[in-house]
Amino acid sequence: MKAASMSPRLFSALGRSGSRRLDLCHCVSGILLAGLLVSHLPLSAQVTEQRALPSAPVPQTSAQQPTSNSLSNAPGQTTPVPTPPAPKPSQQVNPTPQPAAPAAQPSTTTQAPATNQEPAQATPEDEQGTYTFKTNVNEVNLTFTVTDRHGHFINNLQQQDFALLDDQRAPAQVYSFTQQTNQPLRVGLVIDASTSIRARFKFEQQAATEFLLSILRPRTDRAFIMGFDVSAYVTQGFTNNPDLLETGLNKLKPGGGTAMYDAVYRACRDQMLRGIPENAEVRKALILVSDGDDNQSRAYLDDAIKMCQRAETTVFTISTNTSPTRERGDDVLKKMAQATGGTAFYPQRLEDISNEFHRVEEELRSQYSLAYKPADFRPDGSFRSIYLTALRGGYVVHARTGYFAPK
């Protein structure tokens, strides 16, 4: 009877014990399931963060845009600020929409490989744009010299000692005013080899050789040799080798007529304008040795002067006319020199030609440089006049009379 009465209690106890074990199993399985869910939370959080990336960097990109606004940094504007590696394609399917994002600020997560290649393809254009930006088409660089009444160069003047008008207006802004005594030289020797100067030709060659040997600095300066009679021809291109320049001078032989205007025109167009980079900071000058009598040119005097002004080249003329009276050719040489900011020299004897070359050398080393912004500037290719004068009495300014605005 005791045994029979105890079995129901035993099963009841076992039942309660089994129920507790079952609850314990459920609890343990619940804990394990919760742990698995917790272990997956970082991945889901990463996906959520990655999907939110398109809108997150926008304030950073807009804040950084002013510092990379230069054209030289244009490729960097299409490349995002350093970010983690590009997400997998599956993470780019549903990016956060950005309807107001400008073209210069693309989404940082929706860049395809082709987008990353665009800056490399646009690099040449960007470099060209940077180059154009640096040269500033509305900036005029004016080089000039100042002499007293006796022809001595004055080198101690300041900006306030001058008055300037560009196209009859004062400049809008002056960027710089310096003395360019050490500016690199690009010099062209244009020698008259026509029949009219046959008797004086040896003096010209000798004086020109001495001039080149004394003025050219091997590391910075360059020169070329051109002769002309019925046509113009270059015997030596730009070089700093004195032996090659002397050989080029010795190749010149007296010939027939005189095509001086054609020679000056071609020297400025082919050598000074096309042969020198546009933004090169050099002093360009032609030394023209001739009697000034032209009888073979297709170009006119004004054509030659305008081409020199386009090439921003100063012309120094040395007359080979040693007669007591001035002739028509001397007036032509003076007009060409004055219009381009140079000086005309008239030696009284053939032996004095070398002295005139030394005066050209002195003038090339005694220069002022003025950079300014013209008022009401228009890049339309028109000619703009320059009027520069010294406010101190008795001083003469040698500067070009104008320039052609770029288009």
Side-chain angles (χ1 to χ4, degrees):
M1 293 295 293
K2 291 183 180 179
S5 62
M6 292 178 60
S7 57
R9 295 178 182 177
L10 179 62
F11 286 111
S12 175
L14 289 175
R16 289 193 299 269
S17 175
S19 175
R20 289 174 183 175
R21 290 178 181 178
L22 183 60
D23 293 339
L24 180 61
C25 291
H26 285 299
C27 181
V28 171
S29 62
I31 293 174
L32 292 177
L33 180 60
L36 290 175
L37 292 175
V38 170
S39 65
H40 284 282
L41 282 178
L43 288 177
S44 62
Q46 291 176 4
V47 173
T48 304
E49 291 175 359
Q50 291 174 351
R51 290 181 177 177
L53 280 178
S55 58
V58 171
Q60 298 177 3
T61 306
S62 59
Q64 295 174 357
Q65 186 175 358
T67 61
S68 61
N69 198 25
S70 173
L71 292 178
S72 60
N73 296 328
Q77 294 178 357
T78 57
T79 303
V81 182
T83 56
K88 297 180 181 180
S90 59
Q91 298 173 356
Q92 301 177 2
V93 175
N94 296 316
T96 303
Q98 297 182 4
Q105 299 178 359
S107 174
T108 57
T109 58
T110 57
Q111 292 180 347
T115 305
N116 294 331
Q117 294 176 0
E118 287 180 1
Q121 296 173 355
T123 297
E125 297 179 2
D126 292 332
E127 292 178 353
Q128 184 178 4
T130 303
Y131 176 85
T132 304
F133 177 78
K134 289 182 178 179
T135 53
N136 286 340
V137 296
N138 61 342
E139 178 178 333
V140 177
N141 294 285
L142 182 62
T143 304
F144 59 95
T145 56
V146 182
T147 58
D148 60 15
R149 295 176 180 177
H150 304 287
H152 300 137
F153 294 103
I154 308 300
N155 298 321
N156 58 353
L157 299 180
Q158 304 300 321
Q159 177 181 333
Q160 59 269 20
D161 296 324
F162 299 94
L164 171 65
L165 293 178
D166 183 296
D167 205 24
Q168 301 180 357
R169 297 187 181 186
Q173 182 180 357
V174 175
Y175 296 122
S176 64
F177 178 87
T178 57
Q179 285 184 269
Q180 297 287 344
T181 55
N182 294 320
Q183 194 173 24
L185 298 177
R186 295 297 181 267
V187 179
L189 276 180
V190 183
I191 307 296
D192 190 341
S194 61
T195 305
S196 61
I197 53 91
R198 183 181 296 272
R200 296 160 279 183
F201 189 71
K202 290 296 182 182
F203 290 95
E204 295 179 8
Q205 286 181 312
Q206 182 179 356
T209 301
E210 294 175 357
F211 167 76
L212 291 176
L213 292 177
S214 62
I215 194 174
L216 291 185
R217 297 166 296 182
R219 294 185 178 181
T220 59
D221 302 334
R222 302 288 187 273
F224 72 90
I225 307 297
M226 172 182 282
F228 65 92
D229 42 38
V230 294
S231 62
Y233 52 93
V234 175
T235 58
Q236 177 58 55
F238 273 115
T239 182
N240 59 354
N241 188 323
D243 295 332
L244 294 178
L245 292 171
E246 185 175 2
T247 301
L249 285 169
N250 292 332
K251 290 180 180 179
L252 300 176
K253 303 297 180 183
T258 306
M260 185 183 68
Y261 303 151
D262 288 350
V264 173
Y265 185 95
R266 288 186 54 187
C268 288
R269 182 194 63 184
D270 299 339
Q271 303 298 321
M272 296 300 189
L273 189 60
R274 299 177 180 175
I276 299 176
E278 183 180 356
N279 62 338
E281 296 182 358
V282 296
R283 172 78 155 116
K284 295 185 286 188
L286 285 185
I287 293 90
L288 173 63
V289 183
S290 176
D291 57 9
D293 292 329
D294 189 298
N295 54 22
Q296 291 288 332
S297 291
R298 296 182 178 180
Y300 294 97
L301 174 60
D302 289 343
D303 298 329
I305 291 176
K306 289 179 180 179
M307 182 52 65
C308 293
Q309 292 171 336
R310 291 184 186 276
E312 299 182 352
T313 300
T314 305
V315 180
F316 300 91
T317 60
I318 300 177
S319 175
T320 59
N321 174 30
T322 57
S323 63
T325 58
R326 292 281 182 91
E327 296 182 358
R328 177 182 176 275
D330 295 327
D331 295 333
V332 170
L333 296 176
K334 182 178 180 180
K335 183 177 181 180
M336 186 177 297
Q338 289 182 342
T340 58
T343 305
F345 299 97
Y346 304 98
Q348 297 179 354
R349 300 179 306 165
L350 290 178
E351 295 78 2
D352 295 335
I353 292 181
S354 60
N355 296 333
E356 306 302 343
F357 270 107
H358 288 300
R359 293 184 63 187
V360 172
E361 176 184 359
E362 183 182 4
E363 183 163 351
L364 287 173
R365 300 302 184 191
S366 304
Q367 306 154 4
Y368 296 92
S369 179
L370 177 64
Y372 65 92
K373 177 182 179 181
D376 192 24
F377 181 83
R378 295 184 180 87
D380 54 5
S382 62
F383 182 80
R384 297 176 66 94
S385 61
I386 292 178
Y387 176 77
L388 179 65
T389 184
L391 298 179
R392 295 187 183 184
Y395 289 161
V396 180
V397 177
H398 304 273
R400 52 186 167 134
T401 58
Y403 64 97
F404 286 90
K407 292 183 179 181

